Amino acid sequence: MILTGNDLLQLETTIGNREIVGLGEGTHGTKEFNLIRSDISKALIENRDFDYVLIENSFGGTADLNDLLKTSINKEQLKDALKANFIAIYQNQEVLDFINWLYDFRKMSGRDINIVGIDYAEINQAYQQFERTIGNKKAVDGELSKLKEIAEFQDDLWNGRNSDRKEWFKKCLEGYHIVEGLFTRKDLKVSDSTMFNLSLLNMKLNFETVKKYADTKKICRAIVQWQ
């Protein structure tokens, strides 16, 4: 612990009845920032009944780790899950200690505390989470196949295994329209509507950056033609 009990009490008093608390950092990966965020998070979970920890990590990867927290596993498995699912800045002992604490606290308290990724750079694991929720895959077999291909292509580009930006641009636009159509489907026999919607939204946010750029180019072209 880097904060004293009195420090935490003052922070809790300042936070009051707020339901959302932002814990930032000055630099990525600094030990002291990770320890302070861990101490504050533990206090809010234990004493103020906070039940979600949001982290700047891929939605799908974090969801995979969060699923493990709900099972009976050992600490070595949690270490492997952190390595497999979290980006480099969280590959440290302080974050691992917090994940271990969260696992133990869930078991001891019986409370459903969740850790959720809010980044959308990598989306293949978000796609996998999404696909697991669909009971009637035959109804959207073509869309699923294409969306999986796009997600894998996008992650390869993000991780430096592919550099075809023009093709990525095309695939993002196609992915955006596929996702938009899936939101409104009523015949998919969805097993988990929350995960269905969140994973789709995560993919949409990824594609939306390119979509907005494409829309802006159309507007600019129209203005130039009008002039």
Side-chain angles (χ1 to χ4, degrees), residues 53-58 62 86 90 95 99 115-119:
V53 179
L54 310 183
I55 185 168
E56 187 188 354
N57 191 62
S58 74
T62 311
F86 276 26
Y90 300 124
V95 174
I99 297 296
I115 182 165
V116 179
I118 56 173
D119 205 352

Side-chain angles (χ1 to χ4, degrees), residues 131-171:
E131 186 182 353
R132 290 181 201 128
T133 69
I134 298 176
N136 184 16
K137 291 184 175 62
K138 288 184 178 180
V140 283
D141 184 61
E143 290 94 329
L144 292 181
S145 177
K146 191 61 183 178
L147 196 56
K148 182 176 186 293
E149 175 198 332
I150 293 169
E152 290 174 349
F153 183 95
Q154 196 279 346
D155 282 14
D156 281 346
L157 188 139
W158 176 256
N159 290 299
R161 295 186 292 267
N162 193 312
S163 59
D164 192 340
R165 298 273 172 173
K166 189 174 182 179
E167 184 65 16
W168 168 70
F169 193 91
K170 287 171 54 181
K171 288 182 182 296

